[in-house]
């Protein structure tokens, strides 16, 4: 697969709401056959970006293409991209009386690869009442409806925005299992936007961080985690050992200090010369995200 074939590409995407510019020239390429995690702080523009990437919203400037085709007002492109998000009366097109079965029927007409048998299987597993009005469901049941639609759409690019909102621990774990199984069977592309980062970390092949209106990071998730380490010990020893490395966080307690360093490509963290004076430990993905998006003056 070469060039832009089956790639979802944002180029210089800008979006403002009044005087507030939310997206400030986003460049992003989503390659096929991967599970991506899009993470960012509240109100940073993740849902706005995803709605533009899926042709549900316009941008002020820039472009979004899928397989070389412009996404905006192009059903050939948008029918290949499923955007599953928290339901609301607006998303239901003002049809507050819409029942679950009608919502799925509408989806089946739009997505050419819709898998009715799989939708039925998931409906049974999640205990969904097809006759129930979607707007009368609680948050957890609504999430199960959107998950069912996303998975059963079989869309080559499937985007889930906060898919586990309202789900208990068991159902969140079940969702991750279902998504991974689907990915292994179909190889389609998934993008997850979530605040429950650590739970999803093992699923994500690549992590994308949206911060201050631009993409500030897009890396292989495991390589990102491997590049960050905590160094702990006496303050003066830690400072000496950490010099020469990018330091993205530090905290002190008495004479002790912990620094989080991020290795640049090609750098090695060899602290064997310090013997037992230092402790080196891994950094969870969620903490890496916190450190990389911390604003000046904020405490962590």
């Amino acid at each position: 697969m070469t060039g832009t074939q089956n790639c979802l590409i944002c180029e210089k995407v800008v979006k403002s709401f009044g005087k507030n510019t939310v997206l400030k020239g986003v460049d992003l390429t989503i390659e096929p056959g991967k599970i991506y995690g899009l993470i960012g702080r509240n109100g940073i523009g993740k849902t706005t970006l995803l709605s533009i990437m899926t042709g549900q919203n316009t941008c002020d400037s820039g472009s979004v293409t899928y397989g070389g085709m412009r996404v905006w007002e192009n059903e050939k492109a948008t029918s290949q991209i499923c955007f599953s998000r928290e339901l609301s009366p607006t998303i239901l097109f003002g049809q507050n009386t819409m029942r679950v079965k009608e919502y799925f029927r509408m989806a089946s007409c739009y997505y050419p690869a819709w898998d009715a048998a799989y939708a039925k299987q998931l409906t049974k597993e999640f205990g969904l009442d097809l006759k129930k009005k979607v707007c009368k469901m609680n948050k957890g049941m609504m999430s199960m409806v959107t998950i069912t639609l996303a998975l059963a759409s079989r869309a080559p690019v499937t985007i889930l925005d906060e898919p586990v909102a309202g789900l208990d621990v068991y159902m969140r774990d079940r969702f991750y299992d279902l998504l991974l199984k689907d990915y292994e069977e179909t190889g389609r592309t998934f993008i997850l936007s979530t605040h429950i980062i650590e739970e999803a970390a093992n699923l994500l092949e690549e992590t994308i961080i949206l911060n201050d209106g631009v993409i500030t990071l897009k890396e292989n998730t495991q390589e990102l985690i491997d590049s960050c380490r905590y160094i702990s010990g006496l303050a003066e020893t830690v400072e000496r050992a950490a010099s020469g490395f990018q330091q993205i966080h530090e905290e002190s307690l008495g004479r002790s200090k912990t620094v989080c360093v991020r290795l640049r490509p090609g750098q090695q963290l060899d602290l064997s010369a310090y013997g037992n004076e230092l402790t080196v430990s891994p950094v969870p993905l969620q903490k890496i995200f916190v450190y990389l998006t911390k604003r000046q003056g904020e405490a962590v």
Side-chain angles (χ1 to χ4, degrees), residues 218-248:
K218 180 177 180 284
E219 292 187 18
N220 176 276
T221 301
Q222 192 56 55
E223 291 177 1
L224 173 61
I225 293 172
D226 289 343
S227 74
C228 296
R229 286 292 182 269
Y230 285 126
I231 303 174
S232 304
L234 288 176
E236 56 269 26
T237 308
V238 169
E239 288 168 4
R240 190 164 64 251
S243 64
F245 297 103
Q246 180 187 6
Q247 300 176 32
I248 60 176

Short mmCIF file of all heavy atoms in Angstrom, two decimals, residues 218-248:
data_model
loop_
_atom_site.label_atom_id
_atom_site.label_comp_id
_atom_site.label_asym_id
_atom_site.label_seq_id
_atom_site.Cartn_x
_atom_site.Cartn_y
_atom_site.Cartn_z
N LYS A 218 2.92 12.26 17.72
CA LYS A 218 2.33 11.10 17.06
C LYS A 218 3.43 10.04 17.00
O LYS A 218 4.33 10.13 16.17
CB LYS A 218 1.83 11.44 15.65
CG LYS A 218 1.20 10.26 14.90
CD LYS A 218 0.66 10.73 13.55
CE LYS A 218 0.01 9.58 12.78
NZ LYS A 218 1.05 8.67 12.20
N GLU A 219 3.35 9.07 17.90
CA GLU A 219 4.42 8.09 18.03
C GLU A 219 3.86 6.70 18.31
O GLU A 219 2.75 6.55 18.83
CB GLU A 219 5.38 8.48 19.17
CG GLU A 219 6.20 9.73 18.92
CD GLU A 219 7.23 9.95 20.02
OE1 GLU A 219 7.53 9.00 20.76
OE2 GLU A 219 7.70 11.09 20.13
N ASN A 220 4.68 5.71 18.00
CA ASN A 220 4.37 4.35 18.41
C ASN A 220 4.25 4.33 19.94
O ASN A 220 5.13 4.83 20.65
CB ASN A 220 5.49 3.41 17.96
CG ASN A 220 5.28 2.00 18.44
OD1 ASN A 220 5.63 1.64 19.57
ND2 ASN A 220 4.71 1.17 17.58
N THR A 221 3.17 3.78 20.44
CA THR A 221 2.88 3.86 21.87
C THR A 221 3.96 3.19 22.72
O THR A 221 4.43 3.76 23.71
CB THR A 221 1.51 3.24 22.18
OG1 THR A 221 0.51 3.93 21.43
CG2 THR A 221 1.18 3.35 23.66
N GLN A 222 4.37 1.99 22.34
CA GLN A 222 5.36 1.29 23.14
C GLN A 222 6.70 2.01 23.11
O GLN A 222 7.39 2.10 24.13
CB GLN A 222 5.53 -0.16 22.66
CG GLN A 222 6.33 -1.04 23.62
CD GLN A 222 5.74 -1.06 25.02
OE1 GLN A 222 4.58 -1.37 25.21
NE2 GLN A 222 6.56 -0.71 26.01
N GLU A 223 7.06 2.55 21.96
CA GLU A 223 8.32 3.29 21.87
C GLU A 223 8.26 4.55 22.72
O GLU A 223 9.27 4.95 23.33
CB GLU A 223 8.62 3.64 20.41
CG GLU A 223 8.98 2.42 19.55
CD GLU A 223 9.21 2.78 18.09
OE1 GLU A 223 9.11 3.98 17.76
OE2 GLU A 223 9.49 1.86 17.30
N LEU A 224 7.09 5.19 22.77
CA LEU A 224 6.92 6.38 23.60
C LEU A 224 7.10 6.01 25.07
O LEU A 224 7.81 6.70 25.82
CB LEU A 224 5.54 6.99 23.36
CG LEU A 224 5.13 8.15 24.28
CD1 LEU A 224 6.10 9.32 24.13
CD2 LEU A 224 3.69 8.58 24.00
N ILE A 225 6.45 4.93 25.50
CA ILE A 225 6.56 4.50 26.90
C ILE A 225 8.00 4.11 27.23
O ILE A 225 8.54 4.47 28.29
CB ILE A 225 5.60 3.32 27.17
CG1 ILE A 225 4.15 3.79 27.07
CG2 ILE A 225 5.87 2.70 28.54
CD1 ILE A 225 3.12 2.69 27.13
N ASP A 226 8.65 3.42 26.29
CA ASP A 226 10.04 2.99 26.52
C ASP A 226 11.01 4.16 26.58
O ASP A 226 12.10 4.05 27.16
CB ASP A 226 10.48 2.02 25.42
CG ASP A 226 9.80 0.67 25.51
OD1 ASP A 226 9.24 0.36 26.58
OD2 ASP A 226 9.82 -0.07 24.50
N SER A 227 10.64 5.29 25.99
CA SER A 227 11.55 6.44 25.95
C SER A 227 11.53 7.26 27.23
O SER A 227 12.35 8.16 27.41
CB SER A 227 11.19 7.35 24.76
OG SER A 227 10.00 8.08 25.03
N CYS A 228 10.58 6.96 28.11
CA CYS A 228 10.44 7.75 29.34
C CYS A 228 10.75 6.89 30.57
O CYS A 228 10.29 5.75 30.66
CB CYS A 228 9.02 8.31 29.45
SG CYS A 228 8.59 9.49 28.15
N ARG A 229 11.50 7.45 31.49
CA ARG A 229 11.87 6.74 32.71
C ARG A 229 11.94 7.72 33.89
O ARG A 229 12.33 8.87 33.74
CB ARG A 229 13.24 6.06 32.56
CG ARG A 229 13.23 4.82 31.68
CD ARG A 229 12.45 3.68 32.32
NE ARG A 229 12.46 2.46 31.55
CZ ARG A 229 11.55 2.13 30.64
NH1 ARG A 229 10.56 2.99 30.37
NH2 ARG A 229 11.61 0.99 30.01
N TYR A 230 11.53 7.19 35.04
CA TYR A 230 11.74 7.92 36.29
C TYR A 230 13.13 7.59 36.81
O TYR A 230 13.54 6.42 36.82
CB TYR A 230 10.73 7.48 37.35
CG TYR A 230 9.33 8.00 37.18
CD1 TYR A 230 8.25 7.12 37.14
CD2 TYR A 230 9.06 9.37 37.10
CE1 TYR A 230 6.94 7.58 37.03
CE2 TYR A 230 7.76 9.84 36.98
CZ TYR A 230 6.70 8.94 36.94
OH TYR A 230 5.43 9.41 36.83
N ILE A 231 13.85 8.60 37.27
CA ILE A 231 15.12 8.41 37.96
C ILE A 231 14.94 8.97 39.37
O ILE A 231 14.61 10.16 39.53
CB ILE A 231 16.28 9.13 37.26
CG1 ILE A 231 16.41 8.68 35.80
CG2 ILE A 231 17.59 8.89 38.00
CD1 ILE A 231 17.45 9.45 35.01
N SER A 232 15.16 8.14 40.39
CA SER A 232 14.93 8.56 41.77
C SER A 232 16.17 8.30 42.62
O SER A 232 16.92 7.34 42.39
CB SER A 232 13.74 7.79 42.37
OG SER A 232 12.57 7.95 41.59
N GLY A 233 16.34 9.17 43.63
CA GLY A 233 17.47 9.02 44.56
C GLY A 233 17.74 10.34 45.25
O GLY A 233 16.88 11.23 45.29
N LEU A 234 18.93 10.48 45.82
CA LEU A 234 19.30 11.75 46.41
C LEU A 234 19.33 12.83 45.34
O LEU A 234 19.78 12.59 44.21
CB LEU A 234 20.67 11.64 47.08
CG LEU A 234 20.74 10.81 48.37
CD1 LEU A 234 22.18 10.72 48.86
CD2 LEU A 234 19.86 11.43 49.46
N ALA A 235 18.88 14.02 45.71
CA ALA A 235 18.67 15.09 44.73
C ALA A 235 19.91 15.37 43.89
O ALA A 235 19.84 15.43 42.66
CB ALA A 235 18.20 16.36 45.44
N GLU A 236 21.05 15.51 44.55
CA GLU A 236 22.26 15.88 43.80
C GLU A 236 22.69 14.77 42.84
O GLU A 236 23.18 15.03 41.73
CB GLU A 236 23.40 16.24 44.75
CG GLU A 236 23.77 15.17 45.76
CD GLU A 236 23.01 15.30 47.08
OE1 GLU A 236 21.89 15.87 47.06
OE2 GLU A 236 23.54 14.84 48.10
N THR A 237 22.47 13.52 43.25
CA THR A 237 22.83 12.40 42.38
C THR A 237 21.89 12.32 41.19
O THR A 237 22.32 12.10 40.04
CB THR A 237 22.79 11.07 43.17
OG1 THR A 237 23.57 11.20 44.35
CG2 THR A 237 23.32 9.93 42.33
N VAL A 238 20.59 12.52 41.43
CA VAL A 238 19.60 12.49 40.35
C VAL A 238 19.88 13.60 39.36
O VAL A 238 19.83 13.39 38.13
CB VAL A 238 18.17 12.62 40.92
CG1 VAL A 238 17.16 12.85 39.80
CG2 VAL A 238 17.79 11.37 41.71
N GLU A 239 20.17 14.79 39.85
CA GLU A 239 20.42 15.92 38.95
C GLU A 239 21.64 15.66 38.07
O GLU A 239 21.64 16.00 36.88
CB GLU A 239 20.63 17.19 39.79
CG GLU A 239 19.35 17.70 40.43
CD GLU A 239 19.59 18.76 41.47
OE1 GLU A 239 20.77 19.16 41.65
OE2 GLU A 239 18.62 19.19 42.12
N ARG A 240 22.65 15.05 38.64
CA ARG A 240 23.85 14.73 37.87
C ARG A 240 23.54 13.67 36.81
O ARG A 240 23.96 13.78 35.65
CB ARG A 240 24.96 14.24 38.82
CG ARG A 240 26.32 14.12 38.16
CD ARG A 240 27.44 14.02 39.19
NE ARG A 240 27.34 12.82 40.01
CZ ARG A 240 27.00 12.81 41.30
NH1 ARG A 240 26.72 13.95 41.92
NH2 ARG A 240 26.95 11.68 41.97
N ALA A 241 22.79 12.64 37.19
CA ALA A 241 22.48 11.55 36.27
C ALA A 241 21.53 11.99 35.15
O ALA A 241 21.61 11.50 34.02
CB ALA A 241 21.86 10.39 37.04
N ALA A 242 20.62 12.92 35.48
CA ALA A 242 19.61 13.34 34.50
C ALA A 242 20.09 14.43 33.56
O ALA A 242 19.42 14.72 32.56
CB ALA A 242 18.35 13.82 35.24
N SER A 243 21.24 15.01 33.86
CA SER A 243 21.74 16.07 32.98
C SER A 243 22.06 15.47 31.61
O SER A 243 22.57 14.37 31.49
CB SER A 243 23.00 16.71 33.58
OG SER A 243 24.04 15.76 33.67
N GLY A 244 21.72 16.19 30.58
CA GLY A 244 21.94 15.68 29.23
C GLY A 244 20.72 15.00 28.63
O GLY A 244 20.71 14.67 27.44
N PHE A 245 19.69 14.81 29.48
CA PHE A 245 18.44 14.22 28.99
C PHE A 245 17.32 15.26 29.08
O PHE A 245 17.37 16.17 29.91
CB PHE A 245 18.04 13.00 29.83
CG PHE A 245 19.03 11.86 29.77
CD1 PHE A 245 19.89 11.62 30.82
CD2 PHE A 245 19.09 11.03 28.65
CE1 PHE A 245 20.81 10.58 30.77
CE2 PHE A 245 20.00 9.99 28.59
CZ PHE A 245 20.86 9.77 29.65
N GLN A 246 16.32 15.11 28.22
CA GLN A 246 15.14 15.97 28.31
C GLN A 246 14.38 15.62 29.58
O GLN A 246 13.99 14.47 29.79
CB GLN A 246 14.23 15.78 27.09
CG GLN A 246 12.99 16.67 27.13
CD GLN A 246 12.01 16.36 25.99
OE1 GLN A 246 12.21 15.42 25.23
NE2 GLN A 246 10.96 17.14 25.90
N GLN A 247 14.16 16.60 30.42
CA GLN A 247 13.46 16.38 31.69
C GLN A 247 12.06 16.96 31.58
O GLN A 247 11.89 18.17 31.40
CB GLN A 247 14.23 17.02 32.84
CG GLN A 247 15.63 16.45 32.99
CD GLN A 247 16.44 17.14 34.07
OE1 GLN A 247 15.90 17.61 35.07
NE2 GLN A 247 17.76 17.21 33.87
N ILE A 248 11.05 16.09 31.68
CA ILE A 248 9.67 16.54 31.47
C ILE A 248 8.88 16.66 32.77
O ILE A 248 7.75 17.14 32.77
CB ILE A 248 8.92 15.62 30.48
CG1 ILE A 248 8.85 14.18 30.97
CG2 ILE A 248 9.57 15.70 29.10
CD1 ILE A 248 8.03 13.26 30.06
#
